[in-house]
Amino acid sequence: MPKVKSQKKSRQHEQIRQGVQFKRDLGQHILKNPLVVDGIIDKAALRNTDVALEVGPGTGNMTVKLLDRVKKVIACELDPRLAAELQKRVQGTPSQTKLQLMIGDVLKTDLPFFDVCVANLPYQISSPFVFKLLLHRPFFRCAVLMFQREFAQRLVAKPGDKLYCRLSINTQLLARVDHIMKVGKNNFRPPPKVESSVVRLEPRNPPPPINFQEWDGLVRIAFTRKNKTLGAAFKHSTVVEMMDKNYRIHCSIKNIPLEADFDMKTKVEEILEKNDFARLRARTMDIDDFLKLLHCFNSNGIHFA
């Protein structure tokens, strides 16, 4: 027991010596290895005319290197104490005028224009931040982001992979995704409980010509039980009710008369069977498969948003 207390005290002293007490509940794990920082910056392929968005700058280990390479850095930090540390770090240097600080929750903030995004994110906001980023307009060139290892593996997973899921296909629909490097726990202060990875995202520009909310509605149903056949997934009563409601709205708007004995469950089964989807499973389907499936439903007046 004394040894554990001693180690804990030592960590606290280290944090205080660095000028700030880190909050684990906010996911504050500061990247301290300069080689990893350099690797992330290199993969961003920065230009001196770029505006870089950095999310979770912490005490600024990456920020100061970004400021040397770009025209402007917009740093979004939730914790005012860390933002103050960063401000102090650049005060009185030539970089001071190139730094814009945004203090607040990045998920509740309208993102400004930027060319490149780099982030060592609190892992609990990984998924919502990825989609906030990929649905942001105008388009940015690329994002180089640090994630929990398993989350990163889900982003890059392919059909048939164990970790392939709704996150995988939604991300890959909107962006090219590459796994860049693995980052061990000891590269952070304090060390997190999980291993990390860095991923590079390049938005597809132009994006696929579909309604993303509708696409996500379809994919969500298919991946709720990704090992089940689509015939089974679309037979669930709540799914049938939702599709029936949307179809009736569609018919009302288009002035399409409904048959007296119309049954949505039968209609869905017919669409899946006719187009050879009934026995397919989400875990083995790629983007083209889902685009065809969405087209089959939409061309029959069935929508998911």
Side-chain angles (χ1 to χ4, degrees), residues 38-169:
D38 290 343
I40 291 172
I41 289 175
D42 288 344
K43 293 298 181 182
L46 298 168
R47 303 167 187 168
N48 59 12
T49 55
D50 280 342
V51 173
L53 173 68
E54 185 185 6
V55 181
T59 53
N61 292 344
M62 193 181 306
T63 319
V64 291
K65 294 190 176 187
L66 287 171
L67 286 165
D68 287 339
R69 303 275 288 272
V70 300
K71 181 175 78 175
K72 181 181 180 182
V73 174
I74 302 168
C76 189
E77 175 56 61
L78 179 63
D79 190 339
R81 302 169 314 127
L82 293 182
E85 287 291 318
L86 177 53
Q87 191 91 59
K88 275 193 274 182
R89 191 164 178 174
V90 299
Q91 210 159 13
T93 71
S95 298
Q96 184 177 349
T97 56
K98 295 166 69 175
L99 175 65
Q100 177 187 335
L101 268 170
M102 293 173 61
I103 301 172
D105 184 343
V106 70
L107 297 181
K108 297 174 182 174
T109 303
D110 289 334
L111 296 179
F113 167 83
F114 61 95
D115 299 291
V116 174
C117 176
V118 294
N120 172 22
L121 290 168
Y123 292 157
Q124 61 265 34
I125 68 165
S126 296
S127 186
F129 180 72
V130 164
F131 291 105
K132 183 180 178 79
L133 204 56
L134 292 178
L135 297 172
H136 174 68
R137 299 293 180 269
F139 283 98
F140 55 95
R141 196 168 68 249
C142 77
V144 183
L145 311 170
M146 180 89 70
F147 294 117
Q148 181 175 333
R149 178 81 45 84
E150 187 176 303
F151 183 88
Q153 290 170 334
R154 289 179 190 278
L155 287 179
V156 300
K158 299 298 180 191
D161 291 352
K162 184 181 177 184
L163 292 176
Y164 185 63
C165 61
R166 176 172 151 245
L167 173 70
S168 319
I169 198 166

Side-chain angles (χ1 to χ4, degrees), residues 248-302:
R248 289 175 187 277
I249 292 170
H250 168 80
C251 290
S252 173
I253 292 169
K254 301 285 185 182
N255 291 318
I256 300 169
L258 263 177
E259 305 93 335
D261 60 347
F262 173 77
D263 179 63
M264 176 54 74
K265 189 174 178 183
T266 304
K267 186 176 179 72
V268 169
E269 286 172 354
E270 286 172 357
I271 292 169
L272 293 174
E273 286 288 350
K274 181 182 173 185
N275 295 283
D276 300 320
F277 280 111
R279 288 163 194 81
L280 292 186
R281 301 169 199 272
R283 64 180 169 83
T284 62
M285 293 171 63
D286 62 16
I287 288 171
D288 286 342
D289 291 329
F290 276 104
L291 287 171
K292 287 174 194 167
L293 179 61
L294 183 60
H295 175 72
C296 290
F297 279 124
N298 285 175
S299 60
N300 281 275
I302 298 174

Side-chain angles (χ1 to χ4, degrees), residues 2 4 40 44 118 120 194 201 230-231 237 242 253:
V4 174
I40 291 172
V118 294
N120 172 22
V194 294
L201 301 176
L230 293 185
S237 59
M242 178 273 293
I253 292 169

